[in-house]
């Protein structure tokens, strides 16, 4: 095929020259004996303008000698669409903030995560702010809300000792930080904004190196005074700090607690933390200077269905939800005794049987709503009204299912006690109910704000989850249950964090010491923890255990079942 194409292309200029010289197309050559058709008279079948003579067309045959047909321009790929603008050159303030972020991470995060995490992130926020100002970007109300929420979430590790709410808070902070830096407001932007940090990390390093090379010609009169002043300040701090520490033991103790203890052994880990902190700050600053434009990604709506094709399945689903909710109302007002008698289940089995199924029903309902909106009929006002009514009824019925699921969990906790898993899924069910309420509001007031509202509600739920101290809630609920019916699971308390100590401290002996034994052993193995790596929950727990230490022996706790195995569900 390539050879044929090449031969035609080579013959095309020659044919054009011949046609220009003779006036005859190569496809209709002039007869022998004359240069043109006029010299020999009309050919049979040629069009002469007289009635009865029609030209012979070949509309389906290609014309290899004519100009090529114009092609439609190719649609740009999503990578081209979201490509950021050229970033402004990096300024000295941004470089200094990046360096400060790396130093803070190396000094404050090697001993653990606590208030040091928030302190290490603050210079990265400053670096992003300086880069955004240079790029001419201004903060909008949503941007300020994301920044405040991000910093509030990073305060959770400083307040709570439990690792799992702290980890959720850090992940939610990354999401809010990405939204603040990218300014995203659509669903693709909300979901893809955190991925922009990966691109900004690679391009940000090149951005920093380019800025450093541009400063290679800076004379000594600019950087030498800064170096001299820094060296003199460090020398003065070390000299007078050592003198004051040797003169007063209280000041020496205070200074020892404030200043990180840096040794040669932990040099590699601190160097890695320095690089990590600096790279994160560079990624944040590069994103602020020239963010990826995720909102330019257009998601094409699905093909609209007819009213009957779209509405019939949803109406049937609404009827099913209505029937289930009617049974729940009958159970609520008719009492559980009749239901348990007819089903043969115990009180706890009935509660446990339903919660997980109702949780999945809520999740699947959200998926159904998303697909229904994609294929909804949208030819006029009548179609829009039909969509609002059908989906509004489905959302309202789903809220009743959410309430039923939470009621089942309450029954389950009454029978078996509260655990981390149970409080987590109950919190998730509450948030799903909030999302459904937001969807209903979007159907009334418009949906432009819905992606950001859902992201903000998720971050707010994670923040509330961390501030309420789930480990403290678990301990508090189980202690109240013990005070009511003398039932307690001492084995489960061994895995809780220091946040549970204030509630467990209310138990009588020997249950108190046995419940606190695992937490006490963990903190004893950790030893002394500096202030920047100690959460407020751990600080309170250490104070309580210092005033009222664990006194019961291992044998007594073993007889009470403290060290038995346990499966949580």
């Amino acid at each position: 095929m390539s050879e044929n194409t090449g031969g035609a292309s080579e013959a095309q200029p020659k044919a054009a020259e011949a046609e220009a010289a003779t006036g005859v197309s190569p496809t209709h050559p002039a007869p022998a004996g004359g240069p043109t058709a006029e010299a020999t008279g009309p050919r049979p079948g040629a069009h002469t303008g007289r009635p009865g003579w029609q030209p012979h067309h070949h509309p389906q045959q290609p014309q290899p000698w004519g100009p090529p047909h114009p092609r439609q321009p190719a649609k740009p790929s999503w990578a081209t669409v979201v490509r950021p603008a050229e970033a402004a050159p990096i300024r000295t303030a941004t470089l200094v903030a990046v360096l400060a972020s790396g130093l803070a991470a190396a000094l404050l995060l090697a001993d653990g995560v606590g208030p040091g995490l928030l302190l290490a992130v603050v210079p990265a926020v400053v670096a992003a702010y300086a880069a955004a100002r240079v790029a001419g970007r201004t903060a909008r109300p949503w941007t300020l809300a994301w920044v405040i929420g991000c910093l509030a979430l990073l305060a959770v590790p400083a307040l709570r000792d439990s690792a799992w709410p702290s980890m959720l808070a850090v992940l939610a902070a990354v999401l809010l930080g990405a939204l603040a830096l990218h300014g995203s407001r659509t669903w693709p932007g909300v979901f893809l904004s955190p991925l922009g940090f990966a691109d900004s990390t690679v391009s940000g390093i090149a951005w920093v190196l380019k800025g450093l090379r541009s400063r290679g010609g800076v004379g000594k009169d600019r950087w030498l005074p800064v170096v001299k002043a820094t060296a003199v300040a460090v020398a003065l701090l070390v000299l007078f700090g050592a003198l004051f520490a040797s003169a007063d033991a209280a000041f020496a103790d205070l200074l020892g607690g404030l200043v990180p203890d840096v040794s040669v052994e932990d040099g590699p880990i601190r160097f890695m933390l320095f690089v990590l902190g600096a790279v994160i700050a560079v990624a944040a600053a590069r994103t602020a200077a020239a963010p990826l434009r995720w909102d330019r990604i257009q998601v094409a709506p699905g093909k609209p269905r007819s009213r009957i094709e779209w509405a019939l399945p949803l109406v049937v689903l609404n009827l099913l939800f209505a029937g289930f909710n009617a049974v729940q109302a009958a159970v609520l007002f008719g009492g559980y005794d009749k239901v348990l008698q007819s089903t043969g289940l115990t009180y706890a089995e009935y509660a446990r049987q339903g919660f997980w199924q109702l949780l999945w029903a809520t999740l699947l309902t959200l998926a159904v709503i998303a697909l229904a909106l994609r294929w909804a009929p949208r030819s006029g006002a009548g179609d829009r009204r039909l969509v609002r009514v059908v989906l509004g009824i489905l959302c309202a019925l789903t809220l009743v299912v959410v309430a039923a699921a939470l009621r089942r969990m309450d029954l389950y906790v009454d029978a078996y006690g509260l655990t981390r898993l149970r409080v987590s899924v109950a919190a998730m069910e509450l948030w799903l109910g909030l999302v459904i309420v937001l969807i209903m509001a979007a159907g009334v007031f418009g949906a432009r704000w819905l992606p950001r509202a859902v992201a903000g509600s998720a971050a707010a739920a994670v923040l509330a989850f961390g501030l309420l101290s789930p480990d403290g809630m678990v301990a508090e609920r189980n202690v109240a249950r013990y005070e009511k019916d003398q039932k307690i699971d001492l084995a489960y308390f061994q895995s809780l964090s220091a946040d549970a100590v204030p509630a467990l401290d209310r138990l009588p002996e020997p249950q108190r010491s046995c419940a606190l034994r695992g937490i006490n052993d963990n903190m004893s193995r950790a030893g002394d923890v500096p202030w920047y790596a100690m959460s407020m929950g751990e600080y309170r727990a250490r104070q309580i255990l210092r005033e009222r230490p664990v006194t019961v022996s291992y044998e007594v706790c073993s007889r009470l079942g403290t060290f038995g195995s346990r499966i949580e569900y």
Side-chain angles (χ1 to χ4, degrees):
M1 181 177 293
S2 60
E3 293 178 359
N4 293 340
T5 304
S9 61
E10 292 175 0
Q12 184 174 357
K14 297 180 180 179
E17 294 175 2
E19 183 177 0
T22 62
V24 180
S25 172
T27 56
H28 301 284
T36 63
E38 288 78 359
T40 59
R43 292 180 288 105
H47 178 54
T48 60
R50 290 176 293 176
W53 297 90
Q54 298 295 333
H56 187 61
H57 295 289
H58 300 281
Q60 301 298 329
Q61 295 182 358
Q63 300 178 2
W65 313 114
H69 293 287
R71 294 182 178 180
Q72 295 292 335
K75 185 178 180 180
S77 63
W78 68 268
T80 304
V81 171
V82 304
R83 183 179 300 166
E86 186 69 23
I90 189 170
R91 297 296 179 88
T92 303
T94 305
L95 289 173
V96 172
V98 168
L99 180 62
S101 182
L103 290 174
L107 295 176
L108 302 178
L109 299 182
D111 298 305
V113 177
L117 177 62
L118 180 60
L119 296 176
V121 170
V122 169
V125 175
V126 175
Y129 174 75
R133 287 294 301 271
V134 173
R137 300 183 65 192
T138 57
R140 297 182 178 180
W142 277 101
T143 304
L144 295 177
W146 298 143
V147 173
I148 294 173
C150 178
L151 296 178
L153 286 165
L154 292 176
V156 171
L159 300 175
R160 300 291 173 244
D161 181 63
S162 182
W164 52 298
S166 297
M167 181 179 64
L168 288 176
V170 171
L171 293 177
V174 171
L175 172 62
L176 294 193
L179 293 177
L181 293 172
H182 289 90
S184 301
R185 64 190 62 172
T186 63
W187 286 115
V190 169
F191 286 119
L192 298 177
S193 287
L195 300 180
F197 287 128
D199 178 81
S200 297
T201 300
V202 178
S203 59
I205 294 175
W207 181 53
V208 170
L209 294 177
K210 181 180 178 180
L212 292 176
R213 285 196 299 268
S214 65
R215 286 165 171 76
V218 177
K220 293 183 179 181
D221 56 339
R222 297 190 61 181
W223 61 265
L224 188 59
V226 177
V227 174
K228 288 181 179 180
T230 303
V232 171
V234 171
L236 291 176
L237 285 175
V238 171
L239 176 61
F240 285 93
L243 289 175
F244 291 149
S246 61
D248 189 275
F251 181 78
D253 183 68
L254 175 63
L255 192 63
L258 292 176
V259 178
D261 185 13
V262 181
S263 60
V264 178
E265 289 78 8
D266 58 358
I269 184 69
R270 292 189 184 274
F271 176 75
M272 292 177 59
L273 288 172
F274 171 81
V275 173
L276 180 62
V279 166
I280 291 176
V282 167
R286 179 63 175 78
T287 305
L292 290 169
R293 299 166 184 181
W294 298 112
D295 287 343
R296 291 184 175 182
I297 298 178
Q298 299 292 331
V299 179
K303 181 181 178 181
R305 308 296 178 178
S306 63
R307 291 190 181 185
I308 184 65
E309 183 183 4
W310 180 86
L312 180 60
L314 294 176
V315 170
V316 172
L317 184 62
N318 284 343
L319 293 176
L320 177 63
F321 271 60
F324 176 81
N325 292 336
V327 173
Q328 298 304 299
V331 171
L332 180 62
F333 293 105
Y336 290 95
D337 294 337
K338 184 178 180 180
V339 176
L340 299 180
Q341 183 179 0
S342 62
T343 59
L345 299 174
T346 64
Y347 183 76
E349 288 173 345
Y350 179 77
R352 183 178 65 186
Q353 182 191 47
F355 174 78
W356 296 103
Q357 290 87 336
L358 297 182
L359 176 63
W360 279 107
T362 307
L363 288 170
L364 291 176
T365 301
L366 290 176
V368 169
I369 292 173
L371 295 176
L373 289 173
R374 178 172 175 81
W375 292 317
R378 44 183 177 269
S379 60
D383 287 340
R384 291 193 294 270
R385 187 162 48 250
L386 174 66
V387 171
R388 289 178 180 177
V389 171
V390 174
L391 293 184
I393 293 174
L394 180 59
C395 289
L397 294 174
T398 306
L399 288 178
V400 180
V401 173
V402 171
L406 293 174
R407 177 56 180 162
R408 296 288 184 97
M409 177 55 70
D410 188 54
L411 296 175
Y412 194 21
V413 171
D414 285 340
Y416 289 104
L418 190 62
T419 63
R420 286 175 168 178
L421 179 60
R422 292 163 196 167
V423 72
S424 300
V425 295
M428 182 179 180
E429 184 73 16
L430 278 172
W431 176 68
L432 292 176
L434 177 59
V435 171
I436 292 172
V437 172
L438 292 175
I439 292 174
M440 295 175 68
V444 177
F445 302 106
R448 292 189 60 184
W449 50 270
L450 185 59
R452 289 180 291 184
V454 171
S457 68
V462 172
L463 178 61
F465 188 69
L467 295 180
L468 290 175
S469 181
D471 276 14
M473 294 173 59
V474 169
E476 185 73 30
R477 187 69 179 263
N478 284 278
V479 169
R481 181 168 172 260
Y482 174 77
E483 294 172 348
K484 180 181 178 181
D485 54 19
Q486 302 300 304
K487 292 181 180 180
I488 194 168
D489 188 355
L490 296 176
Y492 185 74
F493 297 144
Q494 309 308 307
S495 62
L496 296 182
S497 66
D499 298 330
V501 171
L504 297 179
D505 186 54
R506 301 200 333 252
L507 289 170
E509 294 291 357
Q511 284 80 8
R512 173 192 174 274
S513 293
C514 294
L516 294 173
R517 178 173 288 274
I519 301 173
N520 181 74
D521 292 345
N522 290 335
M523 289 193 295
S524 298
R525 285 192 295 269
D528 293 334
V529 179
W531 65 271
Y532 49 83
M534 182 185 299
S535 65
M536 181 62 68
E538 183 178 356
Y539 176 76
R540 292 177 58 193
R542 287 179 178 271
Q543 279 189 324
I544 292 173
L545 292 175
R546 191 181 301 115
E547 296 172 359
R548 294 180 295 278
V550 173
T551 56
V552 178
S553 64
Y554 180 89
E555 290 75 13
V556 174
C557 292
S558 180
R559 286 197 299 269
L560 292 175
T562 305
F563 308 110
S565 60
R566 189 180 189 281
I567 299 176
E568 180 183 357
Y569 54 87

